[in-house]
């Protein structure tokens, strides 16, 4: 009986450890590579250029140029889900909205699950929005959210493919592979800002594929099951 308990406990421990490794591999925040915007021309349309790591990124649409006002703090507002680090306090694209233009961010290489960070969207009593209808076939998640250090506020909300804010701050994570992101900003509101990034740790490996350590632990647990059966058959 004692041998039986030892074998059963060993198998249970191995299976539990395997599940723990599998869960920890999936539940984590990643490092995001954020755009470094180097130049911009104000206008309607205007433009901006920059880089994200080795990827060139350009923006075409309504803009007042680059702004250094957003500090992207507190970090809790601009992190969450897979996003482990907020955008740095560097020049960011300033926008006012109220334009009929389709505004577009282009990447020189395909990026997977890009992150779109939004600061000070709308204000008290004046709503503003990003309408991503041109990408309505692509799912997105709202991450983080809350007050900014500069103007307070609250988390972003969404209805269908439209992201809303009344002094809204937070992140939009697009799901899929993108060469560009297009949107409109139909509501004029003094100014707000945005930037983009991508998951620097993302690889082509499907996240659901177990890690080698997980497979080994599962294998050990399964290999021990026949020993339990033999022990039980000898006792019967």
């Amino acid at each position: 009986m004692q041998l039986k308990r030892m074998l059963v406990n060993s198998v249970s421990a191995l299976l539990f450890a395997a599940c723990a490794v599998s869960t920890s591999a999936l539940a984590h925040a990643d490092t995001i590579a954020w755009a470094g915007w180097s130049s911009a021309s104000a206008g309607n349309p205007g433009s901006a250029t920059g880089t994200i790591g080795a990827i060139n990124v350009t923006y075409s649409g309504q803009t007042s140029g680059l702004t250094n006002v957003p500090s992207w703090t507190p970090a809790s507002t601009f992190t969450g889900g897979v996003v482990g680090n907020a955008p740095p306090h560097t020049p960011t694209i300033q926008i006012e909205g109220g334009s009929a233009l389709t505004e577009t961010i282009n990447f020189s290489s395909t990026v997977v699950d890009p992150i779109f960070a939004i600061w000070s969207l709308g204000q008290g009593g004046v709503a503003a929005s990003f309408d991503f209808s041109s990408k309505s076939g692509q799912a997105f998640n709202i991450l983080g959210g809350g007050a900014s250090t500069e103007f307070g506020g609250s988390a972003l909300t969404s209805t269908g493919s439209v992201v809303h804010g009344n002094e809204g701050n937070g992140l939009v994570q697009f799901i899929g592979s993108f060469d560009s992101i297009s949107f409109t900003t139909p509501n004029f509101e003094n100014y707000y800002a945005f930037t983009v990034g991508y998951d620097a740790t993302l690889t082509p490996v499907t996240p659901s594929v177990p890690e080698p350590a997980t497979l080994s632990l599962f294998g050990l647990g399964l290999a021990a099951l026949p020993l339990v059966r033999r022990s039980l058959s000898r006792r019967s």
Side-chain angles (χ1 to χ4, degrees), residues 184-200:
T184 59
T185 50
N187 313 109
F188 175 84
E189 184 272 313
N190 204 14
Y191 82 93
Y192 40 104
F194 71 87
T195 190
V196 292
Y198 68 89
D199 189 336

Side-chain angles (χ1 to χ4, degrees), residues 2 5 13 29 48-49 57 68 78 81 89 91 93 103 115 117 122 126 139 174 183 188 215 228-229 231:
Q2 185 176 2
R5 287 198 191 98
T49 61
V57 57
N68 283 304
F78 300 102
H89 188 186
I93 295 177
E103 296 150 319
I115 308 295
V126 181
F174 290 95
F183 53 87
F188 175 84
L215 291 172
V228 175
R229 293 195 187 96
S231 176

